[in-house]
Amino acid sequence: MTKRLFLWSGPRNISTTLMYSFAQRPDTLVFDEPLYGAYLKETEAKKYHPEAEQIMESMECDGGKVVDMMLGKHSKEVVFFKNMTHHLMNLDKSFLNSGFNILLTRHPREMLPSFDKVIPNPTLQDVGYAAHAELLSFLQENQIPYAVLDAKKVLQNPQAVLQKLCAKAGIAFEAKMLSWKAGSRSEDGIWAKHWYGSVHASTGFKEYEAKKDVFPEHLLPLLEECLPYYSMLEEEALS
């Protein structure tokens, strides 16, 4: 039977790094943000995301059809779907019970300045923290299997956290997941050139380094909005 892993991340976390990690497994097929086109089609994000029109032309933009694809037959035993949590929008979430869900978060003080460099003056909807908390509650209420990852804790000890994650997901950990060749992957979405530069330059999980830059003043109100949602997730993160 196919083991489906649904990664639900916020932007500017280490979601692409995790996708590259799982792609090293010979038993695993990875997909890069299959719901992105549907999200752009249905929201105002199409007006300010880089190359939104080209992205929508490159992929399926019907969310229901994307869900059918994720639940369909695949060529490998494990299928890893990298998704942004806010891309779920109003889809029927019952399909989440057909796989193991991974919620990936990052402290907003570290994430928001990075996101703001690509999409200036983001909103709470853009950065996904409220959607993450809502998804966590949904999974708990419906007893759907999940794990929470915090980007900082993953980077501080990737092997230990990945071992725990694989055990919870019911798959064997493989040391191959800790390193890869520098460069892009064929699975990358066409948006990779705007977001994936640091991952393409990497050969594994980078050592965690705390941000030293002064936090932008214009992002302080959004930081205050995000913190309560982040705290809900961080309490459950594997370490």
Side-chain angles (χ1 to χ4, degrees), residues 66-80:
V66 175
V67 170
D68 289 342
M69 179 278 293
M70 290 194 287
L71 299 183
K73 293 183 179 180
H74 296 281
S75 60
K76 294 191 176 182
E77 298 172 23
V78 181
V79 193
F80 180 95

Side-chain angles (χ1 to χ4, degrees), residues 29-47:
L29 189 66
V30 301
F31 287 82
D32 190 10
E33 297 187 37
L35 286 166
Y36 192 8
Y39 170 72
L40 291 174
K41 180 181 178 182
E42 299 296 329
T43 69
E44 294 295 300
K46 69 173 71 68
K47 295 181 179 180

Side-chain angles (χ1 to χ4, degrees), residues 107-116 122 127 129 211-227:
H107 198 295
R109 182 172 288 277
E110 297 187 337
M111 188 280 280
L112 295 178
S114 177
F115 189 82
D116 185 61
V127 296
Y129 284 95
K211 299 292 183 183
K212 297 179 181 178
D213 297 339
V214 176
F215 190 83
E217 187 174 351
H218 72 281
L219 292 175
L220 286 172
L222 181 57
L223 174 63
E224 292 303 312
E225 281 189 278
C226 295
L227 282 171

Side-chain angles (χ1 to χ4, degrees), residues 116-152:
D116 185 61
K117 290 177 182 178
V118 181
I119 298 179
N121 302 309
T123 66
L124 186 62
Q125 179 179 347
D126 292 324
V127 296
Y129 284 95
H132 243 154
E134 179 183 340
L135 178 57
L136 176 63
S137 296
F138 175 84
L139 296 172
Q140 291 172 335
E141 291 168 3
N142 291 278
Q143 299 182 324
I144 296 174
Y146 73 91
V148 178
L149 298 182
D150 184 286
K152 177 180 177 179

